[in-house]
Amino acid sequence: MAFGWRCTGVAWPGDVPRLGWSKGAERRVSTLAYGVGLGFRAVGERHCVGARGNECPLGAVVSVRSTGARCPECARLDRAHSVAADTLLDDPRTYRVYLAWFGPGLVKVGITREERGAARLREQGAVVFSWLGRGPLMAARRTEEVLRAALGVPDRIPYARKRAVRGRLPGERERFGEVAELYGRAAELEGRGWPESLERLPLDVVDHGGIFGLDRAPRATRSVRELVEGGLVAGELVAAAGPDLHLAVSGGEGGRGGVVVLDTRLITGWELAAVDPAAANDVRVPLIDIAGGGVQGGLF
């Protein structure tokens, strides 16, 4: 099945977000910049993105609200090679354990391959983070479980909750303090459940508020619920965090302006046609109010 250009999502290999694109075997990347327009219109139906770099053999149509954009079979194949699924127990690579802060009282513990650096933290939209330790995969996994229980923090936080607190972040000092306090509690667990094979790393709090643009962008009030065929998304990029792009829109004639969050996981699997955001600065797909969770029905 032939498709036009399809978005593969946002990557954060460095301090600047990049959008990936694919068309058959072709690949390309668009580097994003704040203050620059971004616009597209969805074409046709949404199709499965495949697994492990391979196209879906069925070209299956998938749900417009799915953030994975995979059919059941491709989702199973993709997860079969995932560290999160605990299927790579003999992985010889070094892993790191981290604390990630997304807003007041919103902290998680997780692990990532050491070779990836902080890319995983940026991809999750972590506003602040600190490393806790490094070592073999199973030691890192065990530490993650110990810290979740001891600190009372989860290993996953829904993106809806991250968006809800993103518009009212405290200053850098307060952000640093919350992470430092949790780090101190975690360090006290050495010798009391902390695996000996996991080396504890010193406190080094990293703040992403600047590279995400959150400290200077207007507060986002709505987010895209789903794309639809012919649906328009066009605005000025003012901030980005993880897969979320914050777009300032004028709303067009009779529309409602403001900042709208686009979760780019919702646009994977769609064929997208470029639109000039200067000529069509608007979002015409179903939206959700971030604070209240209410749905704005229809294409307006």
Side-chain angles (χ1 to χ4, degrees), residues 232-271:
L232 170 71
V233 176
E236 177 189 329
L237 183 66
V238 294
D244 290 348
L245 303 182
H246 292 221
L247 301 173
V249 301
S250 64
E253 185 176 352
R256 175 181 166 190
V259 176
V260 174
V261 175
L262 170 66
D263 183 344
T264 54
R265 297 175 303 167
L266 292 174
I267 69 176
T268 56
W270 284 96
E271 181 179 339

Side-chain angles (χ1 to χ4, degrees), residues 39 74 79 82 84 88 114 134 145 160 171 207 236 251 268:
C74 286
R79 186 163 178 79
S82 168
L88 302 176
E114 185 170 67
R134 63 186 297 273
E145 295 173 355
D207 196 297
E236 177 189 329
T268 56

Side-chain angles (χ1 to χ4, degrees), residues 16-70:
V16 179
R18 303 192 306 185
L19 272 180
W21 302 90
S22 67
K23 184 170 69 171
E26 295 182 75
R27 300 289 186 273
R28 73 182 187 190
V29 172
S30 301
T31 300
L32 302 178
Y34 303 135
V36 175
L38 175 70
F40 62 83
R41 193 180 298 276
V43 178
E45 295 178 302
R46 190 186 193 195
H47 291 84
C48 175
V49 297
R52 317 303 298 176
N54 299 305
E55 291 191 10
C56 175
L58 302 176
V61 175
V62 295
S63 168
V64 295
R65 296 190 185 181
S66 165
T67 54
R70 289 187 173 92

